[in-house]
Amino acid sequence: MIVEERFVTYINLLSGENTPLLEEIEKEAHESGIPIIRRETQSLLKVLLALRKPQRILEVGTAIGFSALFMAEYNPAGGHITTIENYEKRIPIARDNFERAGRADQIILLEGDAADVLKELSGPYDMIFMDAAKGQYIHFLEDVMRLLAPEGLLVSDNVLQDGDIIESRFAVTRRNRTIHKRMREYLYCLTHHPRLTTSVLTVGDGVAVSVAGPDGADC
């Protein structure tokens, strides 16, 4: 927990409920132990969608489809969403959820390793939402920047790792050190990239919000 739990609980109470289907899918995810975007992150996404009204969204990391459906529901522009998932057991659940919501024509799910799928895509995308394997963000970044439209929005979730990101690598468990190192590299790159203006927020498990400028050099 990055922010004191009482504040998080209070803020989440203010945000109200989502549509009945989103509430149902969120409940199913929690019961199955499947991580989805936290309530605080949902509120932030609503604001960003309202501000930018993206026509084309790319999501890296579908899970069971909650965040894709959330963005489809709260994007004033409607728009089209392409989402990528590699975990075979979650793909049919996500597809079923898209059908349940009547969004199968609006959301296209691409199966496979994002590192491979991203290379096959052509942009530009007005918004890219990163919510996949945290240790891979830095490896996805070159293709993400290629696909991101000028003035496009890059939103990266779970970047503060429940606060572990500020710790020395020797203070985190050995099995998490590689992820810790790569996420620090990713955040440095976002905040020093010549084409990006980035703010790292203590929302949920940490969200980095980046706005792209004109084409520029790589990080």
Side-chain angles (χ1 to χ4, degrees), residues 3 24 93 98 146 151 155 173 182 184 195:
V3 178
E24 184 177 342
I93 301 173
F98 298 156
R146 174 180 61 82
E151 300 185 358
V155 182
T173 58
R182 290 178 180 176
R184 281 195 164 202
R195 193 184 156 206

Side-chain angles (χ1 to χ4, degrees), residues 79-196:
H80 180 273
I81 299 173
T82 299
T83 183
I84 304 170
E85 180 58 46
N86 193 39
Y87 188 28
E88 293 181 358
K89 291 184 178 180
R90 291 179 181 171
I91 289 170
I93 301 173
R95 291 194 188 281
D96 180 61
N97 285 334
F98 298 156
E99 291 286 350
R100 289 166 67 188
R103 302 276 186 181
D105 292 336
Q106 184 183 2
I107 304 172
I108 302 300
L109 196 162
L110 303 178
E111 301 179 28
D113 189 325
D116 299 323
V117 175
L118 287 169
K119 295 184 186 307
E120 301 298 321
L121 296 179
S122 57
Y125 290 94
D126 306 307
M127 177 175 172
I128 298 179
F129 182 53
M130 295 274 278
D131 192 21
K134 314 314 166 194
Q136 299 304 311
Y137 282 16
I138 188 68
H139 299 313
F140 299 154
L141 189 57
E142 181 178 353
D143 282 307
V144 164
M145 293 305 302
R146 174 180 61 82
L147 295 167
L148 188 61
E151 300 185 358
L153 192 65
L154 171 59
V155 182
S156 307
D157 198 16
N158 304 118
V159 297
L160 296 183
Q161 303 176 321
D162 278 327
D164 281 352
I165 200 70
I166 65 171
E167 303 294 343
S168 160
R169 66 184 298 269
F170 299 106
V172 300
T173 58
R174 185 179 295 273
R175 64 187 176 89
N176 289 331
R177 286 179 185 173
T178 298
I179 295 174
H180 178 270
K181 176 178 180 292
R182 290 178 180 176
M183 185 56 76
R184 281 195 164 202
E185 291 175 0
Y186 180 72
L187 289 176
Y188 183 88
C189 201
L190 290 186
T191 53
H192 291 77
H193 199 290
R195 193 184 156 206
L196 295 176

Side-chain angles (χ1 to χ4, degrees), residues 36-52:
I36 61 173
I37 53 174
R38 302 185 188 189
R39 284 280 170 155
E40 314 91 275
T41 308
Q42 294 174 32
S43 295
L44 175 62
L45 274 181
K46 280 185 184 180
V47 172
L48 296 175
L49 290 166
L51 282 171
R52 302 311 296 263

